[in-house]
Amino acid sequence: IIENMSGLDCPHCHTPIALYPGHGGDVLSKEFNVPMLGRIPFDPAVGLSGDKGVPIVVATPDSAQARAFRATAEWVAARISVLQATEERPLIEIS
């Protein structure tokens, strides 16, 4: 599970603001017994940079959103690496 629009930082005081009540990603993660991979905070800049064809990790690499995307990608890559090393038959064929 990757929780999108997981709150936002107030542009004035930088205090986290919950956009939705509850913890939907955590609930789904437990319900379906799958890991919570990450939470991406809301920022209109993500969509705007995507519309321009420039990923947020390139447009503003130090933003909270870029850091969240990188952390999620790193978690997924690490998990695939572990699974790949422990499976009898590789999950991904690399040629």
Side-chain angles (χ1 to χ4, degrees):
I1 301 290
I2 298 174
E3 189 174 82
N4 191 25
M5 298 186 351
S6 181
L8 79 117
D9 287 336
C10 173
H12 305 288
C13 68
H14 304 290
T15 301
I17 300 169
L19 293 175
Y20 305 103
H23 302 279
D26 291 325
V27 170
L28 285 173
S29 175
K30 289 176 185 162
E31 181 180 341
F32 291 99
N33 194 31
V34 295
M36 170 59 95
L37 302 177
R39 292 176 175 82
I40 311 298
F42 176 77
D43 186 335
V46 174
L48 294 172
S49 67
D51 289 347
K52 293 176 184 175
V54 181
I56 197 72
V57 296
V58 173
T60 54
D62 294 328
S63 68
Q65 292 72 23
R67 289 191 307 270
F69 277 115
R70 276 194 305 277
T72 300
E74 288 167 2
W75 192 100
V76 170
R79 184 69 180 138
I80 288 172
S81 178
V82 167
L83 290 173
Q84 192 81 349
T86 59
E87 292 291 320
E88 284 183 30
R89 187 172 157 266
L91 300 170
I92 300 170
E93 296 293 331
I94 301 172
S95 29

